[in-house]
Amino acid sequence: MAVVAETYAMAEHELSQYCREKGLYPNRIKTWRSECLQGFQSFQSFQSFQSFQSFQSSKEREAEAKQQEREDKQEIKLFWGSMGAFKCLRLRL
């Protein structure tokens, strides 16, 4: 990967000279460059997918929290409603 980074901006003749000095072939470096770019693009796609999944799961958690809040409110209403009925019974005795 270091070779790809070092040679990325080189012109063809500079790349040839670099390869002669390092004992490499220009075609091999071009292949590595292509593979690096493909891997980077795949990684970006993967990150986008992860971001979407994270967004989707946060929305699901928000919906679950709202549902739990509604259930809690309903439970409180039922509790206080039953307490009111209990007080009425107690007053009658």
Side-chain angles (χ1 to χ4, degrees):
M1 180 125 155
V3 172
V4 172
E6 288 177 24
T7 60
Y8 187 74
M10 289 184 180
E12 193 70 32
H13 69 280
E14 293 172 321
L15 180 61
S16 296
Q17 182 180 353
Y18 178 89
C19 289
R20 281 192 299 276
E21 291 172 2
K22 301 288 183 178
L24 299 170
Y25 293 99
N27 288 339
R28 188 64 187 143
I29 293 177
K30 290 176 185 178
T31 302
W32 292 342
R33 184 182 301 160
S34 174
E35 290 171 356
C36 285
L37 290 174
Q38 287 175 355
F40 181 70
Q41 290 169 347
S42 296
F43 181 71
Q44 284 181 325
S45 297
F46 178 70
Q47 283 184 321
S48 295
F49 178 70
Q50 280 186 322
S51 295
F52 174 73
Q53 281 186 323
S54 176
F55 173 75
Q56 193 174 24
S57 64
S58 69
K59 289 294 184 183
E60 289 171 358
R61 284 192 301 269
E62 286 178 22
E64 289 173 3
K66 285 181 182 180
Q67 179 64 28
Q68 184 65 44
E69 186 178 343
R70 284 190 292 262
E71 291 172 3
D72 290 346
K73 285 180 181 179
Q74 184 65 28
E75 193 173 323
I76 291 169
K77 285 180 185 178
L78 291 173
F79 174 76
W80 285 110
S82 65
M83 290 301 289
F86 179 72
K87 285 180 184 178
C88 290
L89 289 174
R90 189 170 177 206
L91 291 174
R92 289 184 188 168
L93 296 175

